[in-house]
Amino acid sequence: AAGVTIAQLQPISVVFTLPQQLLGAVQYLLAFLALRLLLGDSGGHPLTIGTFVAGILTCMLTGYVFFVMASCLELVAFWQDVIWNLMVMLRFCMTLLGGAVVPLVFFPEWGRHIAMLTPFPALVSFPARTFLGQVGWQEWIANASLLLLWGFAFSMLLRWIWTRGTRQYSGVGI
């Protein structure tokens, strides 16, 4: 766009995550409804309006936090040629420390404390537990606050990396 600098485009890119998250929420809703019709009531966890809204909000929060975390790593491309390994490392840490590979209840006490210092449990197991109705409101508020804190921290880091990177970047093409 004429008259638009690279530094002005970064805040705009964050706005594009909202439609992506809404599309993902619609896909989850359709998949959930299809499974509910095929399998019937699971008998254990009825879906209420409250748990559904909390689940959608949780998915949007986790989507934003993952977006800014991944963006911070991807912007290392201002200085390095190969960054795919950083994304692989992020996904590995997320699945391990988030409880996707081994549930967090099976971690030793010290390992659970370390995992809880990271945003990963809130990104992986928290959304699923929210939709299943296994999260009370106090726990939901605590985890949502944690996600907001991590989102703010990574947003500040993203802005700093973006500002530094655009000052030093020079695009040279063939």
Side-chain angles (χ1 to χ4, degrees), residues 28-159:
Y28 285 130
L29 175 63
L30 292 175
F32 175 79
L33 291 175
L35 284 173
R36 192 73 164 205
L37 287 173
L38 290 172
L39 302 176
D41 187 12
S42 64
H45 306 287
L47 182 68
T48 64
I49 296 294
T51 56
F52 179 73
V53 170
I56 295 296
L57 288 173
T58 302
C59 286
M60 294 180 81
L61 276 171
T62 56
Y64 179 75
V65 172
F66 182 77
F67 171 79
V68 291
M69 285 173 59
S71 295
C72 286
L73 292 178
E74 289 171 347
L75 287 183
V76 171
F78 279 125
W79 300 280
Q80 297 295 317
D81 293 335
V82 180
I83 61 159
W84 68 268
N85 53 353
L86 295 175
M87 293 305 296
V88 169
M89 188 172 61
L90 174 65
R91 289 189 189 277
F92 173 76
C93 289
M94 196 162 90
T95 57
L96 180 65
L97 296 175
V101 175
V102 177
L104 295 176
V105 295
F106 294 124
F107 279 38
E109 189 67 29
W110 61 268
R112 228 175 300 148
H113 285 304
I114 291 172
M116 291 303 176
L117 294 175
T118 69
F120 304 123
L123 289 173
V124 177
S125 62
F126 176 55
R129 290 181 31 243
T130 301
F131 273 113
L132 289 173
Q134 297 174 351
V135 176
W137 288 108
Q138 288 180 337
E139 184 183 357
W140 188 85
I141 289 171
N143 279 314
S145 300
L146 179 70
L147 284 169
L148 287 171
L149 180 68
W150 277 108
F152 177 76
F154 279 111
S155 294
M156 294 297 101
L157 180 62
L158 177 63
R159 183 171 265 323

